[in-house]
Amino acid sequence: MNTEAEKRSLLLEMIMFATVDGHLHKRELDFLRLVALELNITEEEFQDLFHQETKPIPIKSEMQRINQFYRLALLMHCDGVLHEREFKAIQQIALEMGLNLFAVKRVLEMMKKAPNAIIEPIVLLEIFQEQHN
């Protein structure tokens, strides 16, 4: 992410996704706070994002879109409960990002089976690159 607006937009999208199931779990909030810290967003700015309803700025780079999708997928798994609304929402978000739906479903299935829902970054990239061929 290059600009402050893009960083806030990325986090805002994650906040909207985290609340798609109707509530925000403490582990989801902690995860969001870690992402905010990594993006150099202050606690005050972070709290303010919960009261905004602006549309996220589209991510131009495919690599950044894949990274954002993976962050959302990790967020989806961090409370230990996979809600149907989250599963549908993440697929819709991935489609809107222009990501391949087959790759998205494959990554989500792998995360479901993996300990702690984590897959290696190289595997993540390989799955999306396979769809280019």
Side-chain angles (χ1 to χ4, degrees):
M1 293 281 110
N2 299 329
T3 68
E4 291 301 313
E6 288 172 327
K7 291 177 184 179
R8 283 191 301 277
S9 175
L10 181 143
L11 196 54
L12 182 60
E13 180 177 44
M14 293 180 75
I15 289 168
M16 290 187 309
F17 179 70
T19 57
V20 77
D21 62 357
H23 72 286
L24 183 65
H25 191 278
K26 182 183 178 336
R27 284 189 235 155
E28 291 172 324
L29 181 61
D30 292 344
F31 184 83
L32 290 167
R33 193 169 268 124
L34 282 172
V35 173
L37 183 64
E38 188 68 29
L39 295 173
N40 295 318
I41 293 176
T42 67
E43 180 65 22
E44 185 179 329
E45 290 173 302
F46 174 67
Q47 292 297 328
D48 187 50
L49 289 174
F50 285 90
H51 306 288
Q52 295 184 16
E53 293 187 24
T54 58
K55 285 197 131 217
I57 298 170
I59 303 170
K60 293 179 182 152
S61 158
E62 182 180 30
M63 182 64 69
Q64 289 177 339
R65 291 193 311 267
I66 292 169
N67 284 334
Q68 176 66 350
F69 160 74
Y70 186 59
R71 281 187 204 100
L72 292 170
L74 287 171
L75 180 60
M76 181 173 80
H77 285 86
C78 77
D79 66 355
V81 180
L82 295 177
H83 294 276
E84 184 64 27
R85 279 193 235 161
E86 289 174 325
F87 190 73
K88 288 180 180 178
I90 198 167
Q91 289 183 64
Q92 183 61 39
I93 291 168
L95 280 174
E96 290 170 5
M97 287 181 180
L99 297 177
N100 182 283
L101 188 57
F102 294 111
V104 165
K105 287 181 178 181
R106 192 162 162 215
V107 168
L108 293 174
E109 195 58 39
M110 287 182 75
M111 290 179 77
K112 212 186 281 189
K113 295 175 183 175
N116 298 322
I118 295 174
I119 58 175
E120 293 293 321
I122 191 72
V123 174
L124 178 68
L125 294 178
E126 285 173 356
I127 290 170
F128 281 96
Q129 288 174 347
E130 284 174 7
Q131 299 304 316
H132 288 292
N133 295 328

